Amino acid sequence: MACVVNKHIVIIFFLLIILHSFYIIAHSKELDEKKPCKRFVLYYHNILFNGTNVANATSASITNTSKLGNFGHGMLVVFDDPLTKDNHLLSPPLARAQGFYFYDMKTEANAWFAYTLIFNSTEHKGTINIMGADMMGETTRDLSVVGGTGDFFMTRGIATFRTDVVQSFDYFRLEMDIKLYECY
Amino acid sequence: MACVVNKHIVIIFFLLIILHSFYIIAHSKELDEKKPCKRFVLYYHNILFNGTNVANATSASITNTSKLGNFGHGMLVVFDDPLTKDNHLLSPPLARAQGFYFYDMKTEANAWFAYTLIFNSTEHKGTINIMGADMMGETTRDLSVVGGTGDFFMTRGIATFRTDVVQSFDYFRLEMDIKLYECY
Amino acid sequence: MACVVNKHIVIIFFLLIILHSFYIIAHSKELDEKKPCKRFVLYYHNILFNGTNVANATSASITNTSKLGNFGHGMLVVFDDPLTKDNHLLSPPLARAQGFYFYDMKTEANAWFAYTLIFNSTEHKGTINIMGADMMGETTRDLSVVGGTGDFFMTRGIATFRTDVVQSFDYFRLEMDIKLYECY
């Protein structure tokens, strides 16, 4: 009789340990591309300095193009751009994006970005650091969220860019879909 | 009698498994902002090339300002700067910092850094890669440690900047408080 | 008799839990420098634009040297370079590398890189983001893989550079040994 009970206990514990393993493995690092632990969509507004728009401009090129091809290769732009919740430039900015981009291709327009999202509101305080290639020919393209501070302490993730509008040489707007997969 | 003993065993094992879970969860990724796995404070000395100080200079600007505002917007500086244990420029350097920064704001002084700490001593061999915004108006500001090699293999963390002194256009010193949260 | 059996069960479960702990700890984050979860070696070909080789060039400098020393300090190069499986420039490219490097030392040649590997083949689709110091005087040097997208979702690792050939001012080739330690 005692031995029968023990066998049941053995089986129950086996199951418990197996369940427990699955739980630990599942929770130790849950990195399902479809399930970010935090997500928000921001609109990035870039108003390039053209020599006369100091009042409005939030970015400026600091190098000339390299003359390698006709797609701006080598033009490096330093920016401190507002990010809004919707696609209206004059909406209250939720964050700022500080960093740079440059054009790097000879045969088509293609950019490379490295920048910091700076949050300083009652809702969020902290920064998110991002870098990667902006393959402008693609509808959406993914860059890497490589770190964060403050409310975004040690985060990592993906920033998906989508061109919202390119109005002129001086103004373009990107949708940035920030998906964080490591939240602490 | 046997059944009574078994019940105790069941309870003991339940407790063991629960304790075990806490242990695993606590140790699987210990990321308490107050408990870095490694920490050191370094002083970063930046001596800018002014055209005549080749012997002392460790950095130089490679672009002119963009004329967007009066805070150096667009000036990009490439550096190979010494890092010392204390705030004396002539103390033996513990590491070097190679990378760049640029000023990115129209309305105040604000910089953006990306660089590598290079250690090559008997104590440490390896590199630590850092990027982020340096909001110079804040007393302290956090950048991201995004990777490491050698003794700092695969590390991540936070680099907290504090302006120690700005002596002149040519020389400033930052305290860099490096806190690593992933150590392998 | 029942008590004897129970003691054995207790011991067995203790062993199971201990084994289980080792298993979880070993698998929760396996970061053995010698055991990347993915690895590939690529050859990076850099053909610098010299003013006349538009057809072949894949990179161009966008700043002049800073005149701090004689090792090109301050020259910043933007590239969109092919990567091949072997060291032949004309082999079919497996990926492209888009980003920049600059020279940062006064007393010897030393570079700093930040770039994205872009894969767009039947075998791999996605990007890998890399940054770090290229201490050209060392036989091999390690940079950080700080993130990835697509097939390389959220990856991290080490990129080891080895200079394969420096043919002239216009052409050099690096072996890039990409070792990934976080694969999802």
Side-chain angles (χ1 to χ4, degrees), chain A residues 118-175:
Chain A
I118 301 176
F119 294 81
N120 188 14
S121 64
T122 48
E123 212 182 334
H124 291 301
K125 281 199 201 308
T127 69
I128 292 177
N129 291 307
I130 297 171
M131 67 179 260
D134 174 16
M135 292 163 276
M136 295 157 67
E138 310 285 321
T139 312
T140 63
R141 48 272 182 190
D142 290 343
L143 287 79
S144 289
V145 174
V146 297
T149 70
D151 288 356
F152 307 101
F153 177 65
M154 293 287 286
T155 199
R156 295 182 71 224
I158 303 286
T160 302
F161 281 20
R162 196 181 56 75
T163 304
D164 193 41
V165 77
V166 181
Q167 212 169 76
S168 60
F169 173 76
D170 298 349
Y171 179 67
F172 69 84
R173 190 165 64 229
L174 298 175
E175 184 196 88

Side-chain angles (χ1 to χ4, degrees), chain B residues 2 5-6 9 13 20 29 49 54-55 57 62 78 80 98 100 116 129-130 146-149 154-156 182 184, chain C residues 2 6 13 20-21 24 29 31 33 66 73-74 102 104-106 110 112 131-133 142 144 146 156-158:
Chain B
V5 175
N6 288 339
I9 294 174
F13 277 118
H20 180 225
K29 239 187 160 187
F49 181 46
V54 173
I62 62 169
V78 167
D80 167 34
Q98 298 188 342
F100 68 103
T116 303
N129 291 306
I130 297 171
V146 297
T149 69
M154 292 288 285
T155 199
R156 295 183 72 225
E182 299 193 17
Y184 299 103
Chain C
N6 287 340
F13 276 119
H20 180 224
S21 295
I24 294 291
K29 240 187 159 186
L31 283 189
E33 204 159 346
S66 63
H73 183 283
F102 54 80
D104 57 22
M105 274 185 86
K106 184 169 67 172
N110 213 58
W112 196 92
M131 69 179 258
D142 290 344
S144 289
V146 297
R156 295 183 72 226
I158 303 286

Side-chain angles (χ1 to χ4, degrees), chain B residues 8-78:
Chain B
H8 289 165
I9 294 174
V10 171
I11 292 163
I12 288 166
F13 277 118
F14 257 115
L15 291 174
L16 266 177
I17 285 176
I18 289 162
L19 265 170
H20 180 225
S21 295
F22 280 116
Y23 175 86
I24 294 289
I25 287 164
H27 284 73
S28 65
K29 239 187 160 187
E30 199 178 320
L31 283 190
D32 181 347
E33 203 159 347
K34 302 213 185 309
K35 288 183 191 159
C37 51
K38 209 172 275 183
R39 183 175 182 175
F40 39 84
V41 176
L42 296 168
Y43 289 84
Y44 164 96
H45 305 270
N46 191 264
I47 307 177
L48 198 61
F49 181 46
N50 61 17
T52 61
N53 60 347
V54 173
N56 295 321
T58 53
S59 70
S61 64
I62 62 169
T63 59
N64 296 316
T65 63
S66 63
K67 292 175 188 161
L68 185 62
N70 302 310
F71 296 92
H73 183 284
M75 185 175 117
L76 194 159
V77 171
V78 167

Side-chain angles (χ1 to χ4, degrees), chain B residues 117-155:
Chain B
L117 294 181
I118 302 176
F119 293 81
N120 188 13
S121 63
T122 47
E123 212 181 335
H124 292 301
K125 281 199 200 309
T127 69
I128 291 178
N129 291 306
I130 297 171
M131 68 179 260
D134 174 17
M135 292 162 276
M136 293 157 66
E138 310 285 322
T139 312
T140 62
R141 48 273 182 190
D142 290 344
L143 288 80
S144 289
V145 173
V146 297
T149 69
D151 288 355
F152 307 101
F153 177 64
M154 292 288 285
T155 199

